[in-house]
């Protein structure tokens, strides 16, 4: 019933502004505040590697990119990180 969710990817910025990767999780229908995972200012690429230890069928999550590094006021669309059934990797 409990699984560990692992998320890995690259965050790329082609401009000069700062952008941040944020995640937001909902546990048992209760949304948690967004959490900043990485910030990149200027051109470049940064690896994003995070995990969620307690992942059940009542857990949902999303990832989104926001301009700046302080808040989630100017963000793109949220993309789902979760789906059921989960594909288990050994």
């Amino acid at each position: 019933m409990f699984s560990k969710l692992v998320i890995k990817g690259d965050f790329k910025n082609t401009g000069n502004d700062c952008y941040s990767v944020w995640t937001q999780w909902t546990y048992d229908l209760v949304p948690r505040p967004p959490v900043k995972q990485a910030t990149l200012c200027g051109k470049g690429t940064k690896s994003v590697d995070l995990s969620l230890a307690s992942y059940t069928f009542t857990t949902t999550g999303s990832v989104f990119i926001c301009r700046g590094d302080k808040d989630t006021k100017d963000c793109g669309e949220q993309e789902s990180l979760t789906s059921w059934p989960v594909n288990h990797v050994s």
Side-chain angles (χ1 to χ4, degrees):
M1 183 162 149
F2 291 93
S3 296
K4 181 176 182 178
L5 177 65
V6 178
I7 301 160
K8 294 182 180 189
D10 291 324
F11 175 37
K12 185 174 183 179
N13 186 355
T14 59
N16 295 320
D17 293 336
C18 290
Y19 293 91
S20 298
V21 175
W22 294 76
T23 54
Q24 186 167 19
W25 300 99
T26 299
Y27 299 98
D28 298 323
L29 303 175
V30 178
R32 307 294 184 194
V35 175
K36 183 172 50 173
Q37 301 297 333
T39 298
L40 187 56
C41 295
K43 295 177 184 176
T45 303
K46 187 177 232 179
S47 293
V48 178
D49 187 358
L50 61 118
S51 63
L52 186 65
S54 180
Y55 177 59
T56 69
F57 65 91
T58 61
T59 305
T60 58
S62 60
V63 63
F64 50 102
I65 308 294
C66 299
R67 183 184 301 270
D69 65 346
K70 299 193 184 334
D71 56 44
T72 58
K73 292 181 181 176
D74 186 7
C75 303
E77 186 176 332
Q78 292 191 11
E79 296 292 331
S80 177
L81 291 171
T82 52
S83 65
W84 291 94
V86 174
N87 294 327
H88 293 277
V89 178
S90 300

